[in-house]
Amino acid sequence: TSAGLNLVILDRSGRIDRVPLTGGTVVTVAGDTIPPVLSGILPGDDAVVPSRDVVVRGQVDEASPAWVYVNGGLAALEQGVFTRGLVLDEGTNVAEVWATDGAGNESEIHTFRIIADTEPPLPFEVTTDSPGWTNNSQPVLFFEAVDSASGIDHYEAALDGGAFVEAASPYTMPVSGDGVHVVTIKAV
């Protein structure tokens, strides 16, 4: 047979013919040698998600009926869009997505990592080159935080309750007048 629809006519004796016979049965066979194609899979590789609950989704392109699997479980499929919820462990998780069609063709297996990071960075210490009272109007602050799941993306600093701005260690405080000043450093 060739790809596409093929008409098979089978009479009661089991003989195959191209012309309908009296009392024969008409069977339609759909030839399919092309595997399903998956695309637009989210979350992407090395995605950091703030929850242990995540929905994997994407599209499947397939003319015949298809089934999509995410980590071995059957995904919901509607109009070519598949979804399946997963519960992740804290840290790095591996996900696999593949599809199969009614003819038994299988897609490529898409393997990717999802990082669940539900915990904030560990508490960290901020030190300065000018502890206590100083005549230095621009003290330098030093800090380093640890986040075992996804690492630290960046730091932010705020002076005296003002707006946070992106910062890096060592951080030179903006010029400030006399008095006690509070600098807040957060790891993101």
Side-chain angles (χ1 to χ4, degrees), residues 30-165:
D32 181 1
T33 59
I34 300 170
V37 175
L38 297 170
S39 63
I41 300 171
L42 295 173
D45 194 23
D46 289 329
V48 177
V49 295
S51 171
R52 291 186 56 221
D53 297 315
V54 67
V55 175
V56 176
R57 64 182 43 124
Q59 294 85 36
V60 60
D61 183 18
E62 175 57 41
S64 68
W67 297 269
V68 179
Y69 298 89
V70 178
N71 281 10
L74 187 61
L77 183 61
E78 187 173 324
Q79 297 180 343
V81 176
F82 67 86
T83 58
R84 181 155 195 278
L86 296 177
V87 178
L88 306 174
D89 293 327
E90 180 75 11
T92 302
N93 297 263
V94 176
E96 291 185 334
V97 179
W98 70 92
T100 185
D101 65 19
N105 300 305
E106 292 188 359
S107 72
E108 290 182 30
I109 297 175
H110 295 263
T111 303
F112 54 98
R113 291 181 303 273
I114 306 170
I115 302 164
D117 188 359
T118 63
E119 300 293 327
L122 297 174
F124 61 99
E125 185 176 337
V126 178
T127 60
T128 179
D129 67 346
S130 303
W133 289 96
T134 181
N135 62 1
N136 181 353
S137 65
Q138 288 188 286
V140 177
L141 305 177
F142 303 91
F143 44 88
E144 183 175 9
V146 174
D147 185 323
S148 60
S150 64
I152 304 299
D153 182 60
H154 66 279
Y155 296 92
E156 295 179 356
L159 177 62
D160 294 328
F164 279 95
V165 296

